[in-house]
Amino acid sequence: MPAPNVIVILADDLGYSDLGSFGGEIDTPHLDRLARSGVRMTSFYVTPRCSPSRAALLTGRHPHSVGIGVLTADNRPAGYRGSLDESVPTLAQRLKGLGYRTGLVGKWHLSSDTTTPNDTWPTRRGFDEFYGILPGCSSYYQPPLMSGESRAPEAHADPDYYITDDLSEHARDFVARASAGDTPFFLYLAYTAPHWPLHAREPDIAKYRERYRAGWDTLRAERFRRQAGLGVAGVAELPPRDEEVPPWADVDDHAWQVERMATYAAQVEVMDRGIGQVLDQLERSGTRENTIVMFLSDNGGCAEELPHRPGQPFFGEEICPRHTRLGDSVEVGNTPRIMPGPEQGYISYGRGWANLSNTPFRLYKRWVHEGGVASPFIVSWPSALPADRVERRPGHLVDLTSTIVEAADGHADTAGHSLLPAWRGDDLPAADEPRTLCWEHIGNAAVRRGRWKLVREWGGPWELYDIEADRAESEDLAPREPSLVAELAAVWEQWAKDNAVIPWSDVLADFRRRGRPETEALR
């Protein structure tokens, strides 16, 4: 069999249960058909933040070890570099060495310098083509688009411009051109959706208003019932709502809250619609059977509540060039006076809806509890993998480079291992069980070994969960198992040492010494 084409599709801040194939009520027919044609992993793990997940995906290494411990700020000497280590080959570079044509469409977010072309930019990290944005987020209507290493023609005069549609069209065109060639291709399609700001067109929002008037309590229960029927719930009973989220009946401004989630759902559906274009192009090109298509999210749903900053200008040229040039102000912050949808508002959907997105798991993006690091994962390779199968054994982002390179008949020495046997449903070697996985982000830490997960929030004690019986992390067993806590904590400490994890207390202390706000360390 010739080497397979590979498409990795990455959503931004999508929750575990948002897709129809994982229990959600958002219309995602194209990703649902992808799931029916392949394998869904119910225990696939990512990191809890944008840049670290991208670093792990593209290198097969834990992100701290390649310079991305938080995001892309260069906080040396006490902190991380904020750019992907050039000495570590990316997946694109490895596949180019195997004869692949490579393209990135979408978000990069792995360079501390996004203004001057340098060796950390995607075109110098193995991608033949790049079309998208370098920073972590932007307006959906007026993003700072790049084509290669140059600013792309801005669509200021186009009243219908929307970045998700633009990225989908470029991805579809890349597949059409690459399929006509004599070499296999690798496409990394990294959407900005559904990361805030909540930007979507009115017709796409309107179809969801009635759906979300039911509120997060009713919808969360409905999602869980569907998850149980699909075999992707992971727990026997739905845990209580996040204690920091009020009951829907007690919420003020229901109409505004509905608008927030309706806009988020519209962002997801538009992304799904674009993915359908890419899948249809594979069919037209005759390359679908021997193309590996993967879909996942970079972290769990995002509970960030953006503070209100009335009358303040937009975040600068890298976020919205049109508003910077015209001197306009865009109102920022989660307040009912700012409606989601149009480009004049810059808000997020908040903790209540993020709790729905992450059904049935605990916490969110930035945390290393399941709600921060569990991602929906779909892989389809019609000529080599079974259809409509659910795999419950764990996988991790660091596995993808090894898996893809092996499928391309190569070998990659990474921190992960191949997931091909798990996807096929084969028995894994005894040496691979039980598997140990570790995380750290801004002081939040976790280790999972087999059924046990040890996890803590920054500044708090270790918590211990039987993740097979209690994946919702509801019953802390640490007081009953002190020796196991100590054993797993030592495993985590060694992993942190081996992977250049900088103690978060040291990072914060350095910011204090330099008179800088500790909040800057989160960037």
Side-chain angles (χ1 to χ4, degrees):
M1 179 187 295
N5 305 305
V6 178
I7 300 177
V8 176
I9 305 171
L10 186 67
D12 199 340
D13 288 6
L14 183 81
Y16 178 81
S17 68
D18 282 326
L19 304 183
S21 54
F22 280 80
E25 69 290 318
I26 302 173
D27 293 333
T28 56
H30 302 291
L31 284 166
D32 296 346
R33 69 168 155 127
L34 188 70
R36 289 191 298 272
S37 72
V39 179
R40 280 169 291 166
M41 296 190 77
T42 63
S43 296
F44 188 83
Y45 287 110
V46 294
T47 85
R49 204 85 175 276
C50 307
S51 301
S53 283
R54 286 161 169 73
L57 189 160
L58 289 175
T59 64
R61 308 288 178 91
H62 292 288
H64 312 78
S65 69
V66 292
I68 308 289
V70 184
L71 289 177
T72 54
D74 189 341
N75 289 323
R76 293 175 293 179
Y80 299 98
R81 178 187 177 189
S83 290
L84 199 59
D85 187 344
E86 295 102 312
S87 69
V88 178
T90 67
L91 175 57
Q93 287 170 313
R94 293 180 187 275
L95 291 177
K96 275 183 67 68
L98 295 172
Y100 276 68
R101 179 176 180 173
T102 60
L104 163 57
V105 176
K107 170 178 165 179
W108 179 238
H109 207 201
L110 289 171
S111 300
S112 61
D113 181 357
T114 61
T115 59
T116 305
N118 61 79
D119 288 343
T120 69
W121 283 25
T123 46
R124 306 188 191 187
R125 298 310 319 269
F127 289 100
D128 298 320
E129 301 180 25
F130 166 55
Y131 182 85
I133 65 169
L134 291 168
C137 64
S138 76
S139 165
Y140 282 63
Y141 301 107
Q142 298 295 331
L145 288 166
M146 302 292 295
S147 180
E149 295 186 354
S150 301
R151 179 61 62 85
E154 294 169 355
H156 294 157
D158 182 0
D160 296 322
Y161 181 86
Y162 191 75
I163 188 172
T164 308
D165 291 340
D166 190 17
L167 298 180
S168 297
E169 290 165 8
H170 273 80
R172 178 199 63 203
D173 292 347
F174 176 87
V175 169
R177 289 184 285 108
S179 295
D182 297 327
T183 60
F185 64 82
F186 166 52
L187 171 64
Y188 173 36
L189 174 52
Y191 283 103
T192 61
H195 192 295
W196 47 258
L198 295 175
H199 283 169
R201 301 185 187 93
E202 169 56 26
D204 292 315
I205 300 171
K207 70 172 289 187
Y208 286 103
R209 288 194 180 104
E210 189 61 35
R211 197 170 302 186
Y212 287 106
R213 287 193 179 106
W216 48 61
D217 290 326
T218 295
L219 291 165
R220 188 165 171 266
E222 290 176 355
R223 281 197 183 194
F224 183 73
R225 284 195 293 272
R226 286 192 294 269
Q227 288 180 315
L230 291 166
V232 299
V235 295
E237 296 182 358
L238 178 66
R241 172 199 329 107
D242 181 340
E243 61 185 15
E244 295 188 26
V245 174
W248 180 252
D250 295 346
V251 171
D252 296 328
D253 301 304
H254 273 173
W256 180 66
Q257 290 285 7
V258 167
E259 201 75 5
R260 293 167 87 185
M261 188 61 193
T263 305
Y264 175 91
Q267 291 174 307
V268 174
E269 182 178 346
V270 174
M271 175 181 66
D272 179 82
R273 189 185 305 157
I275 292 169
Q277 294 180 29
V278 176
L279 297 178
D280 290 346
Q281 183 60 57
L282 285 172
E283 296 284 356
R284 286 193 297 271
S285 301
T287 52
R288 178 69 187 92
E289 286 294 308
N290 197 33
T291 299
I292 304 171
V293 182
M294 302 181 199
F295 176 87
L296 66 157
S297 178
D298 61 351
N299 45 248
C302 176
E304 295 167 353
E305 293 280 3
L306 304 185
H308 186 212
R309 303 210 308 252
Q312 296 235 346
F314 215 77
F315 290 116
E317 185 178 2
E318 284 304 303
I319 302 299
C320 189
R322 176 169 70 175
H323 285 284
T324 300
R325 189 182 70 253
L326 298 179
D328 294 343
S329 290
V330 172
E331 199 157 19
V332 177
N334 291 349
T335 171
R337 62 176 287 178
I338 306 174
M339 295 303 289
E343 62 183 309
Q344 286 74 24
Y346 203 99
I347 72 175
S348 63
Y349 76 158
R351 194 170 183 124
W353 293 120
N355 192 213
L356 171 67
S357 283
N358 283 345
T359 304
F361 300 138
R362 180 179 167 197
L363 293 177
Y364 314 96
K365 173 183 178 179
R366 297 194 185 197
W367 283 271
V368 292
H369 289 72
E370 294 291 286
V373 297
S375 168
F377 185 91
I378 301 169
V379 58
S380 174
W381 184 8
S383 64
L385 296 179
D388 204 11
R389 182 174 171 275
V390 174
E391 172 58 56
R392 293 178 173 81
R393 288 173 290 190
H396 192 281
L397 275 170
V398 295
D399 298 330
L400 295 188
T401 289
S402 292
T403 304
I404 293 168
V405 172
E406 180 183 315
D409 202 25
H411 173 74
D413 182 16
T414 72
H417 62 217
S418 174
L419 292 174
L420 289 175
W423 293 347
R424 290 190 296 255
D426 298 345
D427 291 335
L428 299 183
D432 289 344
E433 301 290 349
R435 191 168 186 196
T436 299
L437 299 170
C438 295
W439 296 265
E440 190 279 339
H441 187 69
I442 57 174
N444 301 321
V447 52
R448 175 176 173 174
R449 186 179 66 189
R451 68 184 306 129
W452 298 106
K453 183 178 178 184
L454 191 70
V455 59
R456 72 180 180 203
E457 295 185 58
W458 166 242
W462 284 112
E463 306 160 13
L464 179 68
Y465 300 101
D466 180 347
I467 212 71
E468 291 184 2
D470 178 27
R471 199 169 169 206
E473 298 166 317
S474 300
E475 183 181 7
D476 180 8
L477 303 176
R480 302 185 213 169
E481 301 282 354
S483 60
L484 182 57
V485 169
E487 179 183 347
L488 292 176
V491 170
W492 184 87
E493 292 288 349
Q494 186 60 53
W495 170 85
K497 180 179 178 181
D498 293 343
N499 286 279
V501 175
I502 301 171
W504 191 237
S505 56
D506 293 354
V507 175
L508 296 179
D510 180 65
F511 272 75
R512 288 193 294 269
R513 279 194 300 269
R514 291 189 280 167
R516 296 172 61 188
E518 290 185 1
T519 53
E520 290 187 12
L522 301 175
R523 300 176 183 172

